[in-house]
Amino acid sequence: MKPKLKVIGTSVPKQDAGMRVTGKAIYGHDIKLQGMLYGAILRTEHPSAIIESIDTSAARKLEGVYCVITADDVDVNNIGYKRDHPILKKGEANCTRDEIAAVAAETKEIAKQALKLIKVKYKVRKGIYDVHEALKEQAPQINKFISGKFSNKNIAETFHYEHGNLEEEKKKSAHIVSRKFTLPRMTHACMATSNVTASYNMLDKKLLLYSSTQVPFLYQRDMAHALKMNPSDIRVIQPIIGGGFGSKLDIHPFEPICALLSIKTGKPVQILYSREEEFIASPIRQPMEIELTAGVDKDGNFTFREINIVKDNGAYTSWGATTPFVIMQSFSSLYKLKACRFNATAVYTNNVFAGSFRGYGNPQATFALERVIDLLADKLGMDKAEIRLKNANEKGEVTGQGLHYDTCGHKECLDTVIKKSKYHSFRNSDNGTLRNTNKNESTNNGSRFKKGIGLASMLHVGGGAKIYRSDGCGTTIKIDPYGYCTIITGSNEIGQGSETVLAMMASEELGIDLKKIKVINTDTDVKPWDVGVHASRTSFVAGNSLLGAIKILKEKLNKKAGELLKSDDTAYEYENGNIYPLRNTNINESTNTENKASKLTKEIANTDSYIRNDSDFVKLDKVVREMHFTEPNELAVANFFYEPSSKFQDKDFKGNVSGSYAFAAQAIEVEVDTYTGNVKVTDIYVAQDVGKVLNPLLLGGQIEGGILQGVGYALTEELLMHEGKILNPNFHNYKMLTAADIPNIHFFPIETNDKEGPYGAKGVGEAPLIPTAAAIANAVCNALGLEVIDLPITPEKVMKALASKNTETIQTKNK
Amino acid sequence: MEFNIINPVSVKELLGAVKKEKHFRFGAGCTDLLMELRKKPDEGLTVINLAQVKDNSFTGIKKSAKGIRMGAMFTAHQIVMNEELKKTFPVLHDSAHNLASTQIRQVATVGGNLCTASPSGDIACALVALRADCELLNTTQKTRTVNISTFFTGVRQTALKPNEVLYGISIPANHKNTKNNYSGFIKVGTRRSMECSVVSLAYHIQVNVEGKILKAGVAIGASAPTVRLAESACDFLIGKTFKNITQKEKEEFADKVLSYASPITDIRATAWYRKEVLYNISKSIFE
């Protein structure tokens, strides 16, 4: 029998919530160092131009200016996933973000003024802003730093994957649907704008960076490569981070630029983006065209999928170019599938380049896939819920790509949202009209408001993703002589609440009050290795790492407790700062027959054979003091490095890339106003296989935040561009949704208790937004009887679609 | 963004500042002004901050037999919270309630909304439908009254002279025989808050006990260089019974409203979309 969990599964508020809401939290923008200068960056005036000359003489002469740098003043390496991105541009500009020069000055105002004094002569070029133009033979090569191993000079990266016999499955298909979908640029729009503070010490030649990176150890290495330094001479400290969502996975030019300004001046330098700069110069979700052809046999079994994706890489290659790792996973392995052929090509253009963004290509893939599933169901005349349930993934399944579903809540997620949303009474799946509504005005026959419901599900890594040499995380844990615990974890906190969940785990296992637990996670000089915050991995990987460290520590504590209690028992219970021996009454009883959850979590006590006497204990702090201060004088400290059981994928992209897999389904109800084209999302039913709920409050936050991001992706958010320039670099015209737009969210966590996860938990961070746009698109199609082929579904697009559907109406209105 | 700032605490001091300053802008809630100055710095500018002026005539609200007068510094939040306004002029309440966000409504003022003279001003649109009058006070302490429709002279342009300040806004009382008026503000945009109207329509239609239309005010926003009163559409309604308006009459009404629109295509919407939607929401008043 498992002991009841006391902390895990409860709604503990985020540890730094009080600091954040009272304004006491120290963000990068709040850092002020002695003698600090302010850096500013001059960006190109033209997205594509020859840089004929740069004259910085006037700027250098301005009082208060300490340093002006251009590409000619620095000796650095390129950055980026393909090392195709110069920190400062020389000779040509290829993107509206391009950094031409940088200034460090006493004040922000002087720095800005200095930028105005820099004279750059450009020879403007036409530029290439369309991927298909870029692939034409006569197109000039946009990025000159690539090896040229691809068939076309403007291809940055390609991916090819396949499993099964595609031609055979095509023949078996009763219906085949083919569509091309276009996905927009969406930006993270983090509440805290990009920031970095660099402080170079000329005496020891070491560099200290206060940075909002999500991946401090990769950042340290990339920064060292860029600056031609030794990584260990760079110390990265993360202040409180005001939003990441993937945007801080790449290193961006402003960061080494800030370091260079500090190195040149010997003074600390800070660069803070304005909101406009944030919109222009921070990464985006990669725009792409997805051509999907998919088949189904006469019984409704999915047969094959053939996918061709062209991604607009922009001028330089970021981690965003690797999103096909995730995209192909959904196409190959979401729902049972016999054959799949996948091609993705990232193409250079003079547009802004992408980065990684929550979901990592998966919202795009899921949108295309779930839209086509609706179309296949229509062709078959099959219920849209039924076709999904029929093909849903199952526990024990090994997919064509080699993903092992040791636990799988796919069917249960679908079932839950179908039932909870009363999907079938809401919808008549044959013609998309309503069968049952309460309000007269809501019936779909000729009335203004049309209601619809849509379904979508998703698959995502739930136990990290092995894309780097290690997907691991290190932990050091110590308990001090006063019974306080310090967790030094390699993992980072970017707002997701990992520090709280880790403290909860330690509290659960060690019986220490949460107030006595500190989490140290911000300093590369202190903390052990971790690959970073991405792939919904932190609670899973860092959690397992912590539990491993606790297990080692407990062995030490148990031994000392045994000595003090003069007991030879092996099992102990930790609670209220005390250690209780569990006296064994039945020597033959097996102790962990029902341990289904993590191997690393609470030791299993069979209450039939182990008895705890509440007056029989020793205080934890006493045990620690005795360890420290009596022979053999041992520290109450333990280290552990956890590496997930996942494997690298082979050259064909096959293999079990994650420790576990998360599933989710959403059923979304919309009401479309045919007078204005506005789509109102009324209700979202979400079921997500989270493995195990660790903290309902924080989980709810991930769900709500993710969903609103998904609604934005579906309906309103798009970074608009014209010939390489961003047209809406402000919240006024970039329509990020606000709290007032949150629909009714009905959340149903599905617990599958994966043995790999801490307490059975899986990663949850990205999943909530992944199926949202797909389900909304399906709901809009259901409401209007129209097809959605691109995002966002703006009011204007809806009105245009309605107008072309009914020419008679147009004529009436246009007279 | 740099500017000088003067903080008069009375109307007298305010008029003194207007007289003295050569290059100035008024700052009321500053919700538009600061954004504008950040975008386009104006060297040597003095902002006359109106927020410290204490005179009740400039900040308060007063009811009389003729109607209701609000001081120019009456805030959007105060409009929203005022029960009398909510009951008597629902269109005004709705327009203020739809404005920006709770936080911004605390400082955004009716005077600021009018003097910004944005074609998409929400409170402005409601006040045009209500046929309000603007009270302008000059540095010699003389007032003149202009009807709100003539107050707006172009995109971000008003009838205010350099020596004048918008002092108050008067809304004429409803017709004494009216009951259960049809009054509301329709804002079309993509977000539910922090949204600038893509198209808006304000209507205040006064009916008698039998539902016959006695007076009508219909204004359009974000559809022309200024907020506009759709005069012929208003006239068209007089004498008709609201509930008996036919489909054909609805369409004729919507066409008349549309005739006042000359929308532009910009980043938020095309002219085609604005027209299409304006026509639809005009009809929707009667549905």
Side-chain angles (χ1 to χ4, degrees):
Chain A
M1 190 183 283
K2 265 195 284 182
K4 198 173 171 333
L5 296 172
K6 295 185 179 70
V7 186
I8 293 296
T10 64
S11 285
V12 174
K14 198 169 175 331
Q15 281 201 326
D16 60 0
M19 283 217 312
R20 285 187 186 241
V21 297
T22 54
K24 298 257 188 293
I26 307 291
Y27 292 86
H29 310 68
D30 301 318
I31 291 167
K32 300 268 176 295
L33 302 178
Q34 188 68 34
M36 189 175 82
L37 305 175
Y38 294 89
I41 294 169
L42 181 74
R43 297 181 194 280
T44 180
E45 283 171 44
H46 310 282
S48 179
I50 302 283
I51 303 168
E52 291 186 326
S53 67
I54 309 171
D55 178 4
T56 60
S57 55
R60 285 176 205 271
K61 279 182 207 144
L62 184 68
E63 202 180 326
V65 170
Y66 276 69
C67 175
V68 182
I69 54 172
T70 67
D72 287 336
D73 303 307
V74 295
D75 175 25
V76 289
N77 287 318
N78 283 356
I79 58 169
Y81 161 72
K82 289 265 169 182
R83 304 275 185 245
D84 64 353
H85 192 174
I87 295 165
L88 285 156
K89 280 65 181 175
K90 188 179 168 73
E92 62 177 343
N94 273 310
C95 167
T96 192
R97 292 177 186 159
D98 275 1
E99 296 79 2
I100 307 295
V103 172
E106 263 169 25
T107 66
K108 288 176 202 165
E109 290 72 24
I110 296 172
K112 265 191 196 166
Q113 207 184 334
L115 292 186
K116 285 184 192 152
L117 296 173
I118 299 172
K119 302 219 166 21
V120 186
K121 267 195 193 154
Y122 297 98
K123 190 175 163 200
V124 180
R125 297 184 298 206
K126 199 164 158 259
I128 297 172
Y129 308 106
D130 177 272
V131 284
H132 303 291
E133 288 296 314
L135 290 173
K136 284 182 182 164
E137 203 164 318
Q138 69 270 27
Q141 184 174 7
I142 293 165
N143 190 305
K144 311 284 193 307
F145 300 100
I146 48 160
S147 60
K149 67 173 179 172
F150 301 110
S151 59
N152 183 294
K153 58 188 170 299
N154 282 328
I155 290 179
E157 186 63 288
T158 64
F159 290 83
H160 175 79
Y161 163 84
E162 60 183 83
H163 79 251
N165 188 334
L166 199 90
E167 300 313 319
E168 190 87 345
E169 292 301 325
K170 267 189 186 173
K171 280 182 212 149
K172 285 188 199 160
S173 302
H175 299 281
I176 292 175
V177 166
S178 192
R179 286 291 183 281
K180 185 165 149 184
F181 300 99
T182 310
L183 285 312
R185 291 180 181 84
M186 179 193 197
T187 188
H188 307 74
C190 298
M191 283 297 107
T193 55
S194 298
N195 62 87
V196 65
T197 307
S199 181
Y200 183 71
N201 185 330
M202 286 186 155
L203 295 175
D204 62 14
K205 311 237 181 291
K206 288 195 165 84
L207 177 65
L208 169 62
L209 292 166
Y210 294 90
S211 162
S212 298
T213 177
Q214 293 178 220
V215 289
F217 289 102
L218 300 186
Y219 184 88
Q220 182 189 41
R221 187 205 55 180
D222 287 350
M223 186 67 78
H225 177 263
L227 300 175
K228 301 186 176 176
M229 284 178 72
N230 185 333
S232 292
D233 286 336
I234 300 174
R235 179 180 181 187
V236 181
I237 295 178
Q238 296 162 289
I240 285 188
I241 296 172
F245 310 110
S247 65
K248 294 157 174 76
L249 202 62
D250 280 288
I251 182 172
H252 303 288
F254 78 96
E255 295 167 303
I257 284 174
C258 190
L260 286 164
L261 291 171
S262 181
I263 291 166
K264 294 265 176 197
T265 59
K267 285 171 167 285
V269 179
Q270 185 170 73
I271 293 184
L272 307 177
Y273 274 14
S274 67
R275 180 54 67 185
E276 186 180 11
E277 206 169 13
E278 184 74 12
F279 273 107
I280 291 171
S282 58
I284 51 167
R285 186 183 294 290
Q286 202 148 38
M288 57 184 71
E289 291 174 6
I290 301 179
E291 272 184 272
L292 169 61
T293 305
V296 66
D297 71 16
K298 63 178 178 12
D299 301 320
N301 300 303
F302 295 152
T303 48
F304 78 96
R305 291 175 196 146
E306 194 172 11
I307 305 99
N308 283 303
I309 297 180
V310 184
K311 306 176 357 139
D312 186 340
N313 197 57
Y316 309 103
T317 315
S318 71
W319 280 112
T322 69
T323 50
F325 277 121
V326 175
I327 297 174
M328 71 171 74
Q329 193 171 289
S330 287
F331 281 120
S332 75
S333 303
L334 177 59
Y335 301 98
K336 284 178 231 131
L337 185 71
K338 300 194 184 71
C340 179
R341 186 185 292 152
F342 175 96
N343 283 302
T345 308
V347 180
Y348 286 113
T349 65
N350 292 113
N351 289 322
V352 291
F353 48 97
S356 73
F357 197 153
R358 196 178 193 177
Y360 216 74
N362 210 348
Q364 292 97 312
T366 303
F367 166 70
L369 176 57
E370 289 285 353
R371 232 0 334 271
V372 163
I373 290 174
D374 263 19
L375 296 172
L376 286 170
D378 282 341
K379 286 252 183 187
L380 269 170
M382 197 171 187
D383 179 89
K384 293 179 174 72
E386 189 191 337
I387 198 170
R388 288 180 167 86
L389 286 167
K390 189 180 180 78
N391 289 282
N393 296 114
E394 284 174 3
K395 184 182 172 178
E397 185 182 340
V398 178
T399 74
Q401 204 183 345
L403 315 182
H404 292 246
Y405 297 157
D406 295 334
T407 56
C408 173
H410 193 198
K411 226 169 218 170
E412 203 180 340
C413 288
L414 278 164
D415 244 339
T416 303
V417 298
I418 289 164
K419 289 202 179 96
K420 297 287 181 185
S421 67
K422 299 189 174 65
Y423 180 84
H424 286 105
S425 61
F426 192 95
R427 171 181 183 138
N428 176 334
S429 66
D430 293 338
N431 54 17
T433 55
L434 288 184
R435 202 187 273 168
N436 177 14
T437 52
N438 299 325
K439 294 179 216 153
N440 290 338
E441 77 258 18
S442 306
T443 50
N444 276 2
N445 299 326
S447 75
R448 172 176 175 178
F449 297 98
K450 310 270 188 202
K451 282 196 167 192
I453 188 164
L455 271 178
S457 62
M458 76 102 223
L459 152 73
H460 204 69
V461 291
K466 194 155 286 182
I467 53 162
Y468 192 69
R469 285 186 64 192
S470 163
D471 192 29
C473 173
T475 303
T476 295
I477 185 167
K478 70 161 185 171
I479 302 181
D480 72 13
Y482 315 104
Y484 280 57
C485 171
T486 301
I487 301 162
I488 304 169
T489 174
S491 68
N492 319 285
E493 168 58 26
I494 61 165
Q496 81 276 40
S498 68
E499 90 297 13
T500 306
V501 167
L502 294 179
M504 288 169 74
M505 289 179 188
S507 177
E508 183 72 58
E509 297 297 322
L510 293 165
I512 299 174
D513 190 279
L514 277 166
K515 290 195 187 81
K516 296 182 176 175
I517 299 173
K518 306 165 205 179
V519 180
I520 306 292
N521 56 2
T522 56
D523 188 341
T524 53
D525 268 9
V526 175
K527 64 181 190 174
W529 158 265
D530 172 80
V531 76
V533 185
H534 65 89
S536 304
R537 69 185 282 282
T538 305
S539 288
F540 183 95
V541 180
N544 276 338
S545 176
L546 171 64
L547 291 172
I550 289 173
K551 191 162 182 261
I552 296 168
L553 183 61
K554 270 182 156 180
E555 281 164 15
K556 295 183 186 180
L557 293 164
N558 288 350
K559 191 163 156 257
K560 185 55 93 180
E563 279 173 39
L564 294 170
L565 289 160
K566 302 195 175 18
S567 130
D568 51 7
D569 294 290
T570 50
Y572 293 86
E573 201 162 79
Y574 287 65
E575 200 178 339
N576 302 325
N578 301 326
I579 304 176
Y580 300 87
L582 296 172
R583 308 287 183 184
N584 195 345
T585 57
N586 182 352
I587 305 298
N588 299 324
E589 192 65 47
S590 157
T591 57
N592 61 350
T593 46
E594 290 186 43
N595 186 2
K596 193 175 149 202
S598 172
K599 296 166 282 199
L600 299 168
T601 49
K602 264 191 175 175
E603 303 235 346
I604 299 310
N606 187 319
T607 48
D608 295 338
S609 54
Y610 282 86
I611 289 174
R612 167 177 146 182
N613 178 348
D614 281 352
S615 60
D616 179 18
F617 66 84
V618 58
K619 290 185 85 64
L620 174 64
D621 55 336
K622 184 181 166 63
V623 174
V624 175
R625 284 195 297 273
E626 292 303 314
M627 278 177 73
H628 285 188
F629 306 135
T630 63
E631 283 185 359
N633 302 82
E634 198 186 1
L635 279 172
V637 171
N639 297 308
F640 189 70
F641 187 79
Y642 171 77
E643 184 68 39
S645 61
S646 51
K647 296 277 175 291
F648 265 125
Q649 288 176 328
D650 61 20
K651 63 177 176 27
D652 299 321
F653 301 110
K654 286 183 181 160
N656 195 26
V657 73
S658 180
S660 73
Y661 297 89
F663 298 86
Q666 295 182 8
I668 300 185
E669 290 176 24
V670 301
E671 187 179 83
V672 186
D673 183 346
T674 59
Y675 279 13
T676 64
N678 275 93
V679 177
K680 183 178 171 191
V681 177
T682 52
D683 288 89
I684 300 194
Y685 298 85
V686 192
Q688 188 171 318
D689 173 4
V690 299
K692 163 86 184 166
V693 178
L694 299 176
N695 180 326
L697 185 67
L698 297 188
L699 176 60
Q702 288 279 25
I703 299 289
E704 286 176 21
I707 280 176
L708 200 62
Q709 225 163 20
V711 176
Y713 189 50
L715 299 178
T716 60
E717 291 188 46
E718 182 172 16
L719 208 57
L720 299 165
M721 293 196 72
H722 179 68
E723 298 201 333
K725 287 198 174 179
I726 292 167
L727 304 177
N728 54 343
N730 48 61
F731 281 122
H732 193 62
N733 287 319
Y734 181 84
K735 302 290 182 187
M736 195 160 97
L737 296 174
T738 76
D741 300 289
I742 296 186
N744 299 319
I745 296 172
H746 315 271
F747 173 47
F748 309 95
I750 304 294
E751 297 193 320
T752 50
N753 290 303
D754 197 285
K755 69 176 181 355
E756 293 292 326
Y759 304 94
K762 298 179 177 184
V764 301
E766 293 165 281
L769 105 108
I770 292 169
T772 307
I776 290 174
N778 284 343
V780 171
C781 296
N782 173 235
L784 300 179
L786 292 165
E787 269 200 44
V788 170
I789 51 163
D790 61 1
L791 296 178
I793 310 165
T794 61
E796 179 128 9
K797 283 182 197 165
V798 171
M799 290 305 281
K800 282 211 173 106
L802 287 170
S804 61
K805 196 184 169 193
N806 189 348
T807 46
E808 198 184 309
T809 323
I810 299 179
Q811 282 165 1
T812 321
K813 285 178 203 159
N814 286 348
K815 70 180 176 184
Chain B
M1 182 173 54
E2 259 183 54
F3 49 79
N4 306 313
I5 189 151
I6 305 181
N7 299 295
V9 295
S10 65
V11 170
K12 200 176 154 205
E13 277 187 32
L14 163 62
L15 295 179
V18 172
K19 203 166 177 177
K20 186 173 148 251
E21 294 300 325
K22 294 281 168 284
H23 181 43
F24 72 89
R25 296 277 301 271
F26 292 119
C30 293
T31 57
D32 285 327
L33 185 70
L34 291 186
M35 273 172 64
E36 188 190 322
L37 292 179
R38 181 169 291 169
K39 220 169 172 180
K40 261 190 257 160
D42 187 347
E43 214 170 310
L45 178 75
T46 295
V47 171
I48 301 180
N49 175 24
L50 305 176
Q52 302 302 320
V53 176
K54 297 283 185 285
D55 305 43
N56 197 44
S57 54
F58 200 52
T59 60
I61 187 164
K62 204 175 159 194
K63 195 183 166 187
S64 70
K66 285 196 284 181
I68 284 181
R69 181 194 179 278
M70 295 178 288
M73 288 298 286
F74 204 62
T75 66
H77 174 72
Q78 286 172 308
I79 293 175
V80 174
M81 299 309 285
N82 190 297
E83 287 300 319
E84 176 73 26
L85 288 175
K86 190 177 175 182
K87 201 174 81 204
T88 321
F89 308 120
V91 59
L92 182 62
H93 172 88
D94 286 3
S95 71
H97 197 232
N98 277 298
L99 188 87
S101 66
T102 309
Q103 293 90 332
I104 287 176
R105 289 196 291 272
Q106 306 296 317
V107 290
T109 63
V110 58
N113 199 271
L114 295 188
C115 292
T116 293
S118 162
S120 58
D122 290 338
I123 294 176
C125 193
L127 289 170
V128 170
L130 289 167
R131 300 170 191 263
D133 284 322
C134 300
E135 211 176 295
L136 315 181
L137 181 65
N138 74 12
T139 47
T140 62
Q141 299 207 28
K142 290 212 174 74
T143 56
R144 68 179 175 117
T145 301
V146 298
N147 184 269
I148 190 160
S149 287
T150 51
F151 181 71
F152 300 118
T153 54
V155 178
R156 301 197 174 274
Q157 284 172 349
T158 69
L160 267 182
K161 290 179 184 158
N163 67 339
E164 285 178 331
V165 60
L166 177 63
Y167 191 40
I169 297 98
S170 297
I171 307 170
N174 287 333
H175 193 287
K176 62 182 188 309
N177 293 333
T178 57
K179 207 176 174 191
N180 298 328
N181 292 329
Y182 295 90
S183 178
F185 183 73
I186 303 170
K187 176 168 179 157
V188 178
T190 46
R191 285 189 285 226
R192 282 184 226 166
S193 73
M194 294 307 291
E195 186 63 310
C196 176
S197 295
V198 170
V199 184
S200 61
L201 182 77
Y203 60 95
H204 187 68
I205 299 167
Q206 302 176 39
V207 296
N208 67 10
V209 189
E210 289 88 43
K212 204 168 115 177
I213 297 168
L214 303 178
K215 277 187 165 184
V218 176
I220 60 172
S223 309
T226 66
V227 173
R228 273 189 186 162
L229 184 72
E231 193 83 60
S232 70
C234 300
D235 294 346
F236 175 74
L237 295 177
I238 305 299
K240 294 190 169 57
T241 302
F242 191 93
K243 281 183 179 159
N244 296 344
I245 301 248
T246 63
Q247 184 63 28
K248 195 165 163 285
E249 284 170 333
K250 273 184 222 172
E251 285 167 7
E252 200 173 337
F253 169 78
D255 276 332
K256 286 187 191 298
V257 173
L258 205 55
S259 70
Y260 289 85
S262 52
I264 54 163
T265 291
D266 65 8
I267 191 167
R268 296 205 297 279
T270 61
W272 173 83
Y273 174 81
R274 289 188 159 102
K275 280 185 171 174
E276 194 84 354
V277 169
L278 184 61
Y279 177 89
N280 288 340
I281 59 175
S282 300
K283 275 197 315 181
S284 80
I285 297 175
F286 307 98
E287 290 171 352

